[in-house]
Amino acid sequence: MKRTKLLMLLALCLMLALPATAETTLRKTLPLQMEGQEEPYVVTLFRWEGVLSLWYGADHFAPMVTRGGLRFDLIDNQLDAPVYLDIEGLYDPTGTKPGDLEDVKAAYESDGWQVTPLDATGMLPDFHFAQEPPQAFTAQKDDQRALVLVTNVTSGAYAITIEYPEEAAEGWGARMAQMADTLTGLPGE
């Protein structure tokens, strides 16, 4: 009788512990450099089955499926301009050409953005083929800034865009850059 009660108590304790264990695997704290100081940034795992995963600031950003991919908008945006991280699949109807930085850059330029090439070394560390690092540029239109990376992974070619007004560069811009750097491809699921 005592043994049965003890086993039941142990089983109950294990059942109560499982949700807490699962929760800790979906959220974690990463260090973030903000204005020269390291501060903790709580992130949540987002998985797009068979395509990608990333850690994002769920307290501040909301994921949304778009026509071309996935977008993380700032939830309570008090600024007068958009603040978002966008992951858009680059579709080639012929299937013969992978994602092309020049096509993406031309689209920005035709919309009036000033484009500057950027060395993407070290960016998107787990979201590109080893022999094919991402390509990047920055863009500016009035007070709005954008960092655009084009990369190829097993699930396809993607344009990763981080857009924010200049006043948000040190805060939201840094957070979104960290989110992008956690991108990981999930082939074969």
Side-chain angles (χ1 to χ4, degrees), residues 48 51-52 66 68-72 84-91 98-105 107-108 124 127 134-137 146-153 155-163 180 183:
W48 183 356
V51 181
L52 60 86
T66 64
L70 185 63
R71 183 169 160 151
F72 293 83
Y84 65 86
L85 165 65
D86 185 67
I87 304 161
E88 182 178 353
L90 298 176
Y91 175 71
D100 184 59
L101 180 75
E102 294 306 315
D103 291 344
V104 177
K105 190 187 306 182
Y108 269 81
L124 305 177
F127 200 64
Q135 298 177 306
F137 64 87
L147 166 63
V148 181
L149 298 114
V150 173
T151 188
N152 290 291
V153 294
S155 61
Y158 296 90
I160 295 23
T161 304
I162 298 171
E163 190 174 321
L183 276 164

Coordinates of all heavy atoms in Angstrom, one line a residue, residues 48 51-52 66 68-72 84-91 98-105 107-108 124 127 134-137 146-153 155-163 180 183:
W48 N 9.2 26.4 -38.5 CA 8.4 26.3 -39.7 C 8.8 24.9 -40.2 O 9.9 24.8 -40.8 CB 8.8 27.4 -40.7 CG 8.0 27.4 -41.9 CD1 7.0 26.5 -42.4 CD2 8.1 28.4 -43.0 NE1 6.6 26.9 -43.6 CE2 7.2 28.1 -44.0 CE3 8.9 29.5 -43.1 CZ2 7.1 28.8 -45.1 CZ3 8.7 30.3 -44.2 CH2 7.8 29.9 -45.2
V51 N 11.3 23.7 -43.0 CA 11.9 24.8 -43.7 C 13.0 25.5 -42.8 O 14.1 25.5 -43.2 CB 10.8 25.9 -44.1 CG1 11.4 27.1 -44.8 CG2 9.8 25.2 -45.0
L52 N 12.6 26.0 -41.6 CA 13.5 26.8 -40.8 C 13.0 26.8 -39.4 O 11.9 26.6 -39.1 CB 13.7 28.2 -41.4 CG 12.5 29.1 -41.5 CD1 12.2 29.8 -40.2 CD2 12.7 30.1 -42.6
T66 N 3.1 35.1 -44.5 CA 2.8 36.0 -45.6 C 2.6 35.2 -46.9 O 2.9 34.0 -46.9 CB 3.9 37.1 -45.7 OG1 5.1 36.4 -46.1 CG2 4.1 37.8 -44.4
G68 N 4.6 35.3 -49.3 CA 5.9 34.8 -49.8 C 6.7 34.1 -48.7 O 7.8 33.7 -49.0
G69 N 6.3 34.1 -47.5 CA 7.1 33.5 -46.4 C 6.6 33.7 -45.0 O 5.5 33.3 -44.7
L70 N 7.4 34.5 -44.3 CA 7.2 34.7 -42.8 C 7.7 36.0 -42.4 O 8.7 36.5 -42.9 CB 8.0 33.6 -42.1 CG 7.8 33.4 -40.6 CD1 6.4 33.0 -40.2 CD2 8.8 32.3 -40.2
R71 N 6.9 36.7 -41.5 CA 7.3 38.0 -41.1 C 7.1 38.2 -39.6 O 6.1 37.7 -39.1 CB 6.4 39.1 -41.9 CG 6.8 40.5 -41.6 CD 6.1 41.4 -42.5 NE 6.0 42.7 -42.0 CZ 6.0 43.8 -42.8 NH1 6.0 43.7 -44.1 NH2 5.9 45.0 -42.3
F72 N 8.0 38.8 -38.9 CA 7.9 39.1 -37.5 C 7.8 40.6 -37.3 O 8.8 41.3 -37.5 CB 9.2 38.6 -36.8 CG 9.3 37.1 -36.8 CD1 9.8 36.4 -37.9 CD2 8.8 36.3 -35.7 CE1 9.9 35.0 -37.9 CE2 8.9 35.0 -35.7 CZ 9.4 34.3 -36.8
Y84 N 10.3 45.4 -38.7 CA 10.0 44.0 -38.9 C 11.2 43.2 -39.4 O 12.2 43.8 -39.9 CB 8.9 43.8 -39.9 CG 9.2 44.3 -41.3 CD1 9.8 43.5 -42.2 CD2 8.8 45.6 -41.7 CE1 10.1 43.9 -43.5 CE2 9.1 46.0 -42.9 CZ 9.7 45.2 -43.8 OH 10.0 45.7 -45.1
L85 N 11.1 41.9 -39.2 CA 12.1 40.9 -39.8 C 11.2 40.1 -40.8 O 10.2 39.5 -40.4 CB 12.7 40.0 -38.8 CG 13.4 38.8 -39.3 CD1 14.6 39.1 -40.1 CD2 13.8 37.9 -38.1
D86 N 11.6 40.0 -42.0 CA 10.9 39.3 -43.1 C 11.7 38.2 -43.7 O 12.9 38.5 -44.0 CB 10.4 40.3 -44.2 CG 9.5 39.6 -45.2 OD1 8.4 39.3 -44.8 OD2 9.9 39.5 -46.4
I87 N 11.2 37.1 -43.9 CA 11.9 35.9 -44.5 C 11.0 35.5 -45.7 O 10.0 34.9 -45.5 CB 12.1 34.8 -43.5 CG1 12.8 35.2 -42.2 CG2 12.8 33.6 -44.2 CD1 12.6 34.3 -41.1
E88 N 11.5 35.9 -46.9 CA 10.7 35.7 -48.1 C 11.3 34.7 -49.0 O 12.5 34.9 -49.3 CB 10.4 37.0 -48.8 CG 9.6 36.9 -50.0 CD 9.3 38.3 -50.7 OE1 9.7 39.3 -50.1 OE2 8.8 38.2 -51.8
G89 N 10.6 33.7 -49.4 CA 11.1 32.8 -50.4 C 11.2 33.5 -51.8 O 10.4 34.2 -52.2
L90 N 12.4 33.2 -52.4 CA 12.6 33.8 -53.8 C 12.2 32.7 -54.8 O 12.8 31.7 -54.9 CB 14.0 34.2 -53.9 CG 14.5 35.3 -53.0 CD1 16.0 35.5 -53.2 CD2 13.7 36.6 -53.2
Y91 N 11.1 33.0 -55.5 CA 10.6 32.0 -56.4 C 11.0 32.3 -57.8 O 10.8 33.4 -58.3 CB 9.0 32.1 -56.3 CG 8.3 31.2 -57.3 CD1 8.4 29.8 -57.1 CD2 7.6 31.7 -58.3 CE1 7.8 28.9 -58.0 CE2 7.0 30.9 -59.2 CZ 7.1 29.5 -59.1 OH 6.4 28.7 -60.0
P98 N 18.7 30.1 -58.8 CA 18.6 30.3 -57.4 C 18.3 31.8 -57.1 O 18.4 32.6 -57.9 CB 19.9 29.8 -56.8 CG 20.9 30.0 -57.9 CD 20.1 29.8 -59.2
G99 N 18.0 32.1 -55.8 CA 17.8 33.5 -55.4 C 18.9 34.4 -55.8 O 20.1 34.0 -55.7
D100 N 18.6 35.5 -56.3 CA 19.6 36.4 -56.9 C 19.6 37.8 -56.2 O 18.6 38.4 -56.2 CB 19.3 36.6 -58.4 CG 20.4 37.4 -59.1 OD1 21.5 37.0 -59.0 OD2 20.0 38.4 -59.7
L101 N 20.7 38.1 -55.6 CA 20.9 39.4 -54.9 C 20.6 40.6 -55.8 O 20.0 41.5 -55.4 CB 22.3 39.5 -54.3 CG 22.6 40.8 -53.6 CD1 21.9 40.8 -52.2 CD2 24.0 41.0 -53.4
E102 N 21.1 40.5 -57.1 CA 20.9 41.6 -58.0 C 19.4 41.9 -58.3 O 19.0 43.0 -58.4 CB 21.7 41.3 -59.3 CG 23.2 41.3 -59.1 CD 23.7 42.6 -58.4 OE1 23.3 43.7 -58.8 OE2 24.6 42.4 -57.5
D103 N 18.6 40.9 -58.4 CA 17.1 41.1 -58.6 C 16.5 41.8 -57.4 O 15.7 42.7 -57.5 CB 16.4 39.7 -58.8 CG 16.8 39.1 -60.1 OD1 17.3 39.8 -61.0 OD2 16.5 37.9 -60.3
V104 N 16.9 41.4 -56.2 CA 16.4 42.0 -55.0 C 16.8 43.4 -54.9 O 16.1 44.3 -54.6 CB 16.7 41.2 -53.7 CG1 16.3 41.8 -52.4 CG2 16.2 39.7 -53.8
K105 N 18.1 43.6 -55.1 CA 18.7 45.0 -55.1 C 18.0 45.9 -56.1 O 17.7 47.1 -55.8 CB 20.2 44.9 -55.4 CG 20.9 46.2 -55.1 CD 22.4 46.2 -55.6 CE 23.2 45.1 -55.0 NZ 24.6 45.2 -55.4
A107 N 15.0 45.7 -57.2 CA 13.6 46.1 -56.8 C 13.7 47.2 -55.7 O 12.9 48.1 -55.8 CB 13.0 44.8 -56.1
Y108 N 14.7 47.2 -54.9 CA 14.8 48.3 -53.9 C 15.2 49.6 -54.6 O 14.6 50.6 -54.3 CB 15.9 48.0 -52.9 CG 15.4 47.3 -51.6 CD1 15.1 45.9 -51.6 CD2 15.1 48.0 -50.5 CE1 14.6 45.3 -50.5 CE2 14.6 47.4 -49.3 CZ 14.3 46.0 -49.4 OH 13.8 45.4 -48.3
L124 N 24.0 35.1 -40.6 CA 23.3 33.9 -40.9 C 24.1 32.6 -40.8 O 24.2 31.8 -41.7 CB 22.6 33.9 -42.2 CG 21.7 35.1 -42.6 CD1 21.1 35.0 -44.0 CD2 20.6 35.3 -41.6
F127 N 22.4 29.4 -41.7 CA 21.3 29.4 -42.7 C 21.9 29.7 -44.1 O 21.5 30.7 -44.8 CB 20.2 30.4 -42.3 CG 18.9 30.3 -43.0 CD1 18.1 29.1 -42.7 CD2 18.4 31.3 -43.8 CE1 16.9 29.0 -43.3 CE2 17.1 31.1 -44.4 CZ 16.4 30.0 -44.2
P134 N 25.9 33.9 -47.5 CA 24.9 34.9 -47.9 C 25.5 36.1 -48.5 O 26.7 36.4 -48.3 CB 24.2 35.2 -46.6 CG 25.1 34.8 -45.5 CD 26.0 33.7 -46.0
Q135 N 24.7 36.8 -49.3 CA 25.1 38.1 -49.9 C 24.2 39.1 -49.2 O 23.1 38.8 -48.9 CB 24.9 38.0 -51.4 CG 25.8 37.0 -52.1 CD 25.5 37.0 -53.6 OE1 24.4 36.9 -54.0 NE2 26.6 37.2 -54.4
A136 N 24.7 40.4 -49.2 CA 23.9 41.4 -48.5 C 24.1 42.8 -49.0 O 25.1 43.0 -49.7 CB 24.3 41.3 -47.0
F137 N 23.2 43.6 -48.6 CA 23.3 45.1 -48.9 C 22.5 45.8 -47.8 O 21.6 45.2 -47.2 CB 22.9 45.5 -50.3 CG 21.4 45.2 -50.6 CD1 20.5 46.2 -50.3 CD2 21.0 44.1 -51.3 CE1 19.1 46.0 -50.7 CE2 19.7 43.9 -51.6 CZ 18.8 44.8 -51.3
A146 N 17.2 49.4 -44.0 CA 17.0 48.0 -44.3 C 18.3 47.3 -44.4 O 19.2 47.8 -45.0 CB 16.1 47.8 -45.5
L147 N 18.4 46.1 -43.9 CA 19.5 45.2 -44.1 C 18.8 44.0 -44.8 O 17.9 43.4 -44.4 CB 20.0 44.7 -42.7 CG 21.0 43.5 -42.8 CD1 22.2 43.8 -43.6 CD2 21.3 43.0 -41.4
V148 N 19.4 43.7 -46.0 CA 18.8 42.6 -46.8 C 19.9 41.6 -47.1 O 21.0 41.9 -47.5 CB 18.3 43.2 -48.1 CG1 17.7 42.1 -49.0 CG2 17.3 44.3 -47.9
L149 N 19.6 40.3 -46.8 CA 20.5 39.2 -47.0 C 19.8 38.2 -48.0 O 18.6 38.0 -47.8 CB 20.8 38.5 -45.7 CG 21.6 39.4 -44.7 CD1 20.7 39.6 -43.5 CD2 22.9 38.8 -44.3
V150 N 20.5 37.7 -48.9 CA 20.0 36.7 -49.8 C 20.8 35.4 -49.6 O 22.1 35.5 -49.6 CB 20.0 37.1 -51.3 CG1 19.7 36.0 -52.2 CG2 19.1 38.3 -51.5
T151 N 20.1 34.3 -49.3 CA 20.8 33.1 -49.0 C 20.1 31.9 -49.6 O 18.9 32.0 -50.0 CB 20.9 32.9 -47.5 OG1 21.7 31.8 -47.2 CG2 19.5 32.7 -46.9
N152 N 20.8 30.8 -49.8 CA 20.3 29.6 -50.3 C 20.5 28.5 -49.3 O 21.6 28.3 -48.8 CB 21.0 29.2 -51.6 CG 20.6 30.1 -52.8 OD1 19.5 30.1 -53.2 ND2 21.6 30.9 -53.2
V153 N 19.4 27.7 -49.0 CA 19.5 26.5 -48.2 C 18.7 25.4 -48.9 O 18.2 25.6 -49.9 CB 18.9 26.8 -46.8 CG1 19.7 27.9 -46.0 CG2 17.4 27.3 -46.9
S155 N 15.9 24.1 -48.4 CA 14.5 24.3 -48.7 C 14.2 25.4 -49.8 O 13.1 25.7 -50.2 CB 13.7 24.6 -47.5 OG 14.2 25.8 -46.9
G156 N 15.3 26.1 -50.2 CA 15.1 27.1 -51.3 C 16.0 28.3 -51.1 O 16.9 28.3 -50.2
A157 N 15.7 29.4 -51.8 CA 16.4 30.7 -51.7 C 15.5 31.6 -51.0 O 14.3 31.7 -51.2 CB 16.7 31.2 -53.1
Y158 N 16.2 32.5 -50.1 CA 15.4 33.4 -49.3 C 16.0 34.8 -49.3 O 17.3 34.9 -49.3 CB 15.3 32.9 -47.9 CG 14.6 31.6 -47.8 CD1 15.2 30.4 -47.9 CD2 13.2 31.6 -47.6 CE1 14.5 29.2 -47.8 CE2 12.5 30.4 -47.5 CZ 13.2 29.2 -47.6 OH 12.5 28.0 -47.6
A159 N 15.2 35.8 -49.2 CA 15.6 37.2 -48.9 C 15.2 37.4 -47.5 O 14.0 37.3 -47.1 CB 15.0 38.2 -49.8
I160 N 16.2 37.7 -46.6 CA 15.9 38.1 -45.2 C 16.1 39.6 -45.1 O 17.1 40.1 -45.4 CB 16.9 37.4 -44.3 CG1 17.0 35.9 -44.2 CG2 16.7 37.9 -42.8 CD1 16.5 35.0 -45.2
T161 N 15.0 40.3 -44.7 CA 15.0 41.7 -44.6 C 14.7 42.1 -43.2 O 13.8 41.7 -42.6 CB 13.9 42.3 -45.5 OG1 14.1 41.8 -46.9 CG2 13.9 43.8 -45.5
I162 N 15.5 43.0 -42.7 CA 15.4 43.7 -41.4 C 15.1 45.1 -41.7 O 16.0 45.8 -42.2 CB 16.6 43.5 -40.5 CG1 16.8 42.0 -40.2 CG2 16.4 44.3 -39.2 CD1 18.1 41.7 -39.5
E163 N 13.9 45.7 -41.3 CA 13.6 47.1 -41.7 C 13.2 47.8 -40.4 O 12.4 47.3 -39.6 CB 12.6 47.1 -42.7 CG 12.4 48.5 -43.3 CD 11.4 48.6 -44.4 OE1 11.5 47.7 -45.3 OE2 10.7 49.6 -44.5
A180 N 17.7 37.0 -36.7 CA 18.1 36.5 -38.0 C 19.3 35.6 -37.9 O 19.4 34.5 -38.5 CB 18.4 37.6 -38.9
L183 N 18.7 31.9 -37.3 CA 18.0 31.1 -38.4 C 18.8 29.7 -38.6 O 20.0 29.8 -38.7 CB 17.9 31.8 -39.7 CG 16.7 32.8 -39.8 CD1 17.0 33.7 -41.0 CD2 15.5 32.0 -40.0

